[in-house]
Amino acid sequence: MTTPAPSASSAASPSLLDAADAIVFGSPTYMGTASGAFHVFAEATSKRWATRAWQDKLAAGFTNSGSKSGDKLHTLQFFTVLAAQHGMHWVSLGLLPGWNSSTASENDLNRLGIFLGAGAQTDSDRGPDGVHKADIATADHLGRRVAAQAAVYAAGRAAVAA
């Protein structure tokens, strides 16, 4: 089942997420971790945790901050722990690092060299329109990878049930 990404308002509707095959967590990295709003969301998932509503779903994550590192890894690790607590299966970025040699370019996919999920950097004085094109393309790659893995996972479930 392919479910469209929830907006901030629909994220409050856990039934939408309950029906999805995969959930991609996303948040800005702020003060070294996911935003306070994401922490509120994570805590609100405890009812889902108690009923194992998200058990065996696929999970992935993305984050953005103002600096190249900006503790994005910590935010992605927070997402992986949340996913593990729910019994979910993590889908990594699956890309080698870009922009890491003299022949590489800042326009390479995974230019920030993050393996756990998609990371983006936005100059703090440019706002949301300042997200680097390579980071957007990297996030797009992650979305396509999650969708492909969800299709494989669903086909495997169907084969086992047959």
Side-chain angles (χ1 to χ4, degrees), residues 59-129:
F62 66 93
T63 188
N64 181 31
S65 68
S67 62
K68 301 285 190 274
S69 172
D71 294 321
K72 287 183 245 309
L73 178 60
H74 182 262
T75 298
L76 292 169
Q77 288 170 328
F78 177 76
F79 296 161
T80 61
V81 170
L82 177 64
Q85 289 172 333
H86 280 282
M88 300 170 82
H89 303 282
W90 191 260
V91 178
S92 69
L93 189 55
L95 288 174
L96 292 171
W99 201 22
N100 66 348
S101 71
S102 61
T103 59
S105 162
E106 73 173 291
N107 296 311
D108 292 343
L109 289 180
N110 198 20
R111 72 183 184 108
L112 299 176
I114 299 170
F115 295 93
L116 202 53
Q121 183 269 331
T122 303
D123 293 332
S124 58
D125 60 348
R126 293 189 58 203
D129 295 332

Side-chain angles (χ1 to χ4, degrees), residues 19-40:
D21 290 328
I23 299 172
V24 180
F25 300 121
S27 170
T29 294
Y30 184 70
M31 301 304 291
T33 190
S35 69
F38 189 87
H39 280 264
V40 169

